[in-house]
Amino acid sequence: MLGRTWAATILCHGAPQETRPEVMASKPKLYYFCGRGRMESIRWLLAAAGVEFEEEFLETREQYEKLQEDGRLLFGQVPLVEIDGMTLTQTRAILSYLAAKYNLYGKDLKERVRIDMYVDGTLDLMLTIALAAFSAPEDREKAQASIVQKAKTRYFPAFEKILKDHGEDYLIGNKFSWADIQLLEAILMVEELDAPVLSDFPLLKAFKTRISNIPTIKKFLQPGSPRKPPPDRHYVETVRRVLQF
Ligand SMILES: N[C@@H](CCC(=O)N[C@@H](CS)C(=O)NCC(=O)O)C(=O)O
């Protein structure tokens, strides 16, 4: 059995957990690799909303083919999330559903479109980081240096300016939103590549501390949460094996 509860998702390869279907039924279920990739922002958003979830980790080609044969992958791709009686794919669609459902998507259309702009920017940045893990080892350092450079010159100055211009604690409407969650996720990812990257961004530094201390996020940042570590060789090999590329 591959399903894991929130508390049990400490290691992807730990002992199988006993599950109780009547309790688990209402929890969203995530199908993806045991690693960040495109699923990690979904994990962040659920965790920030205080929602427990289960995960099934794809380790074999057979698991992936079974999902396809069962007609559960609309375009033959993961992430796949089961929630509210629906089988959802497409990361961005899943994220916006969750943001709306958990009241993290602004109060009106104008706030919503700004949240969309900010999250699309951070998703672009995070996708480049995720993809760098699949580059040849000899190219990886250069790719990562260029990502850090882009974060410093394109993304972080934009967010620093937003915070400076309105002087508020959160990115939009002075209220915690999906955009804040993703910006923190992106900041932490870039810091893993270059620890002092925020040294020229005092407001982002304060933002990072503030958002990291929101209780649900603080919990997600603790060891043993469903948050995944940076990609390692095992993760890259698993994704390549399952998707055959
Ligand atoms: N636009 C999709 C892209 C999903 C995607 O590319 N997923 C990869 C794994 S991260 C996949 O399943 N690739 C298999 C394929 O495209 O055949 C999304 O954002 O969810």
Side-chain angles (χ1 to χ4, degrees):
M1 183 188 303
L2 285 156
R4 308 281 159 92
T5 64
W6 162 290
T9 314
I10 298 169
L11 293 171
C12 302
H13 310 289
Q17 302 295 310
E18 270 313 308
T19 52
R20 289 181 297 152
E22 74 283 3
V23 175
M24 312 283 268
S26 59
K27 287 183 188 171
K29 186 160 177 182
L30 281 44
Y31 296 78
Y32 198 68
F33 309 98
C34 182
R36 291 179 181 172
R38 286 180 155 89
M39 189 64 98
E40 192 68 354
S41 295
I42 296 172
R43 297 184 183 107
W44 267 86
L45 190 44
L46 285 167
V51 178
E52 295 192 1
F53 52 90
E54 292 176 59
E55 298 202 67
E56 180 163 325
F57 300 119
L58 302 185
E59 294 280 343
T60 64
R61 179 74 185 172
E62 289 69 33
Q63 279 175 285
Y64 170 72
E65 284 174 351
K66 174 87 171 60
L67 290 174
Q68 279 196 308
E69 282 157 20
D70 292 349
R72 299 169 74 199
L73 304 181
L74 182 62
F75 302 118
Q77 296 172 317
V78 286
L80 164 66
V81 174
E82 290 173 350
I83 185 169
D84 298 337
M86 299 181 291
T87 299
L88 303 178
T89 58
Q90 288 297 336
T91 315
R92 189 61 170 72
I94 297 166
L95 285 166
S96 49
Y97 176 75
L98 296 175
K101 178 176 167 83
Y102 296 111
N103 198 20
L104 292 162
Y105 208 177
K107 67 173 182 331
D108 55 28
L109 275 175
K110 287 190 173 174
E111 284 193 357
R112 201 164 270 212
V113 74
R114 280 167 57 215
I115 291 175
D116 284 336
M117 286 197 307
Y118 300 170
V119 302
D120 281 346
T122 50
L123 282 174
D124 286 349
L125 173 62
M126 290 191 286
L127 190 59
T128 60
I129 298 175
L131 292 177
F134 292 87
S135 55
E138 62 275 18
D139 300 333
R140 202 164 306 145
E141 214 170 296
K142 207 169 147 208
Q144 291 177 340
S146 130
I147 290 164
V148 170
Q149 187 57 18
K150 202 160 254 180
K152 275 173 152 168
T153 55
R154 177 180 293 189
Y155 295 101
F156 290 171
F159 287 116
E160 181 83 4
K161 182 171 182 321
I162 289 163
L163 292 171
K164 186 163 182 228
D165 287 351
H166 64 33
E168 295 168 352
D169 282 354
Y170 304 105
L171 286 171
I172 285 149
N174 209 13
K175 186 171 177 268
F176 180 52
S177 78
W178 171 22
D180 299 306
I181 300 164
Q182 263 199 209
L183 178 55
L184 176 62
E185 182 190 359
I187 287 172
L188 297 180
M189 281 175 84
V190 180
E191 281 188 330
E192 285 169 353
L193 304 178
D194 181 34
V197 71
L198 286 190
S199 53
D200 292 332
F201 303 99
L203 298 181
L204 282 183
K205 238 183 188 171
F207 172 90
K208 176 190 148 187
T209 306
R210 199 161 50 241
I211 305 298
S212 298
N213 278 304
I214 290 172
T216 50
I217 294 192
K218 200 169 177 172
K219 183 175 169 196
F220 188 61
L221 293 173
Q222 298 298 315
S225 88
R227 185 174 176 226
K228 300 294 179 280
D232 60 10
R233 227 178 72 191
H234 174 78
Y235 168 75
V236 170
E237 282 168 4
T238 304
V239 176
R240 286 194 188 284
R241 185 175 66 250
V242 173
L243 298 182
Q244 294 186 343
F245 73 97

